[in-house]
Amino acid sequence: MSSDSLPTVSAPEERPGGSNAGKKIPKAVIKRLSLYSRILQNLEILDREKVSSRELAQHLGLNSAQVRKDLAYFGQFGVPGLGYYVSDLRKRIKRILGTDRGVRLALVGVGNLGTALLSYGGFARQGFHIVAAFDSDKRKVGSTKGGVPIHDIADLERVAREQRIDIAVLTVPADHAQAVATKLIDCGITALLNFVPVHLKVPDSVRVHYVDLSIEIESLSYYLR
Amino acid sequence: MSSDSLPTVSAPEERPGGSNAGKKIPKAVIKRLSLYSRILQNLEILDREKVSSRELAQHLGLNSAQVRKDLAYFGQFGVPGLGYYVSDLRKRIKRILGTDRGVRLALVGVGNLGTALLSYGGFARQGFHIVAAFDSDKRKVGSTKGGVPIHDIADLERVAREQRIDIAVLTVPADHAQAVATKLIDCGITALLNFVPVHLKVPDSVRVHYVDLSIEIESLSYYLR
DNA sequence: TAGATTGTTAATCGATTAACAATC
DNA sequence: TAGATTGTTAATCGATTAACAATC
């Protein structure tokens, strides 16, 4: 959510296709792309061959025009009168998101939340692999959790290089978040998923997405009756 | 995030004050309100008496006009030339959000993620208390985790009533999410925080906020170089 | 008073939706 | 061909930002 304060960015892919193509891609579109991907995965498991923008929209509580427009940013993937081919569309979306190859994650901060994420299966299912964890507590270093080795944070630079980390997941205590983030960036990591409720000051070349558990609850609280 | 598909709703409080007052409150404003609340909490701990919209904005990577406009939806809380009184503003925001009294949560589904949330301190710090957990696994029922008693899901109706649950946190397997949500709603619960990557069909009287961990990672992946 | 910062308006920007010709 | 559904445009809606008179 707070990632919403980042500027819209143009597609890193060259893009042919629809009249939307070449335009800036709204952040909201990218988020929905990964929703479409998940629905298509389910439909593929059910052996569905085709799907309409209307059905896709219904599965997500969206408007069908929005689905068509979102996809049109990247090309003409559908067949008028028929809809979209499930398997084909899924492949294309995964390609666009860059999740067709495995994405390598490091998790930094093996506390309560960090530990849960190490055992959480949801990431692997979408092709994201936590290949290293880091902590400063010497008692944790050297062991593994959820099959992931825990390294000393002091070894960050070496391990990050050896493991070719794409994205770091931040689950450290709030008072260390900024320092750790800076260190990660120094090691060449350019994408952070930040679970710590702290706004990180990072260079423009680095992308941070925020997951803020408390915000969602507090705002729910507002709508109680 | 996916909560964005819900319609904007007018303030449940009667509201005097600024010229914004009486207007529909954008969802984005409510989310930022809880961000302001957290910063103000920190400033209060540091014994800061006053704060300007500019400083508040800097702590969150926002625009100062946005901060002032957000607050103006609910009244005139500041002093021209001076700024806002930290403690006063915090109290008012908590009042608006309804977090000035404790909010009572039930967690449904004591798996990996559910267990982590039970031990996670971040909720309690903001005045949210998980007072009951539910699972269908008889081996878990009767024990406690993070000090929270785990009940049989079959006892949902009774416990929900006795414990006066405000919000249910959903961390069940995807294939049970809709059925469990329906059951919760039947028990009179009107607000759900859903961690399951499934769109829930619920009546208009029920509010669902989604926390989707995979989406944030997948969209980050898109922006990798 | 001089300096600072609010509350508010108007301008901009971005995202969603409705409608429909084009296409299979 | 008749029916269905796409891709696209134009209209609407909502959110952010700049600017500044009013106020302390």
Side-chain angles (χ1 to χ4, degrees), chain B residues 109-125:
Chain B
V110 187
N112 274 325
L113 187 59
T115 301
L117 294 178
L118 288 178
S119 327
Y120 176 62
F123 292 147
R125 209 170 306 127

Side-chain angles (χ1 to χ4, degrees), chain A:
Chain A
M1 119 176 7
S2 296
S3 67
D4 289 349
S5 63
L6 290 163
T8 296
V9 140
S10 60
E13 324 235 333
E14 40 54 68
R15 288 283 115 216
S19 82
N20 256 334
K23 299 223 182 74
K24 296 269 180 205
I25 315 288
K27 290 171 307 305
V29 170
I30 300 301
K31 293 210 171 169
R32 284 192 298 268
L33 237 38
S34 79
L35 293 174
Y36 303 149
S37 167
R38 192 153 57 204
I39 302 296
L40 290 165
Q41 186 177 19
N42 296 340
L43 292 173
E44 212 171 3
I45 289 165
L46 298 173
D47 266 322
R48 287 281 308 278
E49 192 196 359
K50 293 171 293 196
V51 66
S52 66
S53 60
R54 183 155 172 281
E55 183 182 353
L56 230 26
Q58 274 173 344
H59 280 296
L60 294 165
L62 304 173
N63 178 299
S64 72
Q66 183 163 66
V67 173
R68 294 195 298 279
K69 193 158 204 280
D70 285 351
L71 297 176
Y73 278 101
F74 302 96
Q76 309 197 152
F77 301 159
V79 184
L82 271 184
Y84 302 86
Y85 287 97
V86 170
S87 158
D88 172 66
L89 183 58
R90 173 154 186 259
K91 279 199 208 88
R92 287 164 177 275
I93 291 180
K94 296 218 78 163
R95 187 105 210 288
I96 292 165
L97 288 173
T99 53
D100 49 344
R101 50 173 190 98
V103 176
R104 300 170 69 83
L105 311 181
L107 182 138
V108 187
V110 187
N112 274 325
L113 186 57
T115 300
L117 293 178
L118 288 178
S119 329
Y120 176 65
F123 291 147
R125 210 172 304 125
Q126 307 297 325
F128 295 93
H129 304 289
I130 306 182
V131 296
F134 295 90
D135 207 288
S136 57
D137 184 341
K138 297 280 189 280
R139 286 165 302 182
K140 292 175 184 166
V141 171
S143 66
T144 72
K145 263 190 181 161
V148 180
I150 305 178
H151 301 274
D152 191 321
I153 184 97
D155 296 333
L156 183 62
E157 180 151 19
R158 177 179 58 78
V159 179
R161 191 168 5 91
E162 287 175 3
Q163 293 290 340
R164 306 191 317 281
I165 301 302
D166 297 306
I167 298 176
V169 179
L170 217 60
T171 49
V172 299
D175 50 350
H176 291 91
Q178 179 64 62
V180 170
T182 303
K183 205 168 168 213
L184 288 163
I185 294 165
D186 286 344
C187 292
I189 290 172
T190 60
L192 303 178
L193 184 64
N194 181 23
F195 283 85
V196 189
V198 164
H199 173 75
L200 299 176
K201 292 190 181 77
V202 302
D204 285 349
S205 56
V206 175
R207 181 102 189 167
V208 185
H209 282 204
Y210 293 81
V211 177
D212 191 321
L213 305 179
S214 297
I215 282 190
E216 291 301 333
I217 294 234
E218 294 210 36
S219 53
L220 248 184
S221 165
Y222 174 81
Y223 296 104
L224 285 180
R225 170 199 26 293

Side-chain angles (χ1 to χ4, degrees), chain B residues 120-195:
Chain B
Y120 176 62
F123 292 147
R125 209 170 306 127
Q126 307 295 327
F128 296 94
H129 303 288
I130 305 181
V131 297
F134 296 90
D135 205 288
S136 57
D137 184 341
K138 298 280 190 280
R139 286 165 303 183
K140 293 174 183 166
V141 170
S143 67
T144 71
K145 264 190 181 163
V148 180
I150 304 178
H151 302 274
D152 193 321
I153 185 95
D155 296 332
L156 182 64
E157 180 151 17
R158 178 180 57 79
V159 179
R161 189 169 6 90
E162 287 177 3
Q163 292 290 341
R164 307 188 319 281
I165 300 302
D166 297 305
I167 298 176
V169 178
L170 217 61
T171 48
V172 300
D175 50 349
H176 291 90
Q178 179 64 61
V180 170
T182 304
K183 205 170 166 210
L184 288 163
I185 293 165
D186 287 344
C187 291
I189 290 172
T190 60
L192 303 178
L193 184 64
N194 181 22
F195 282 86

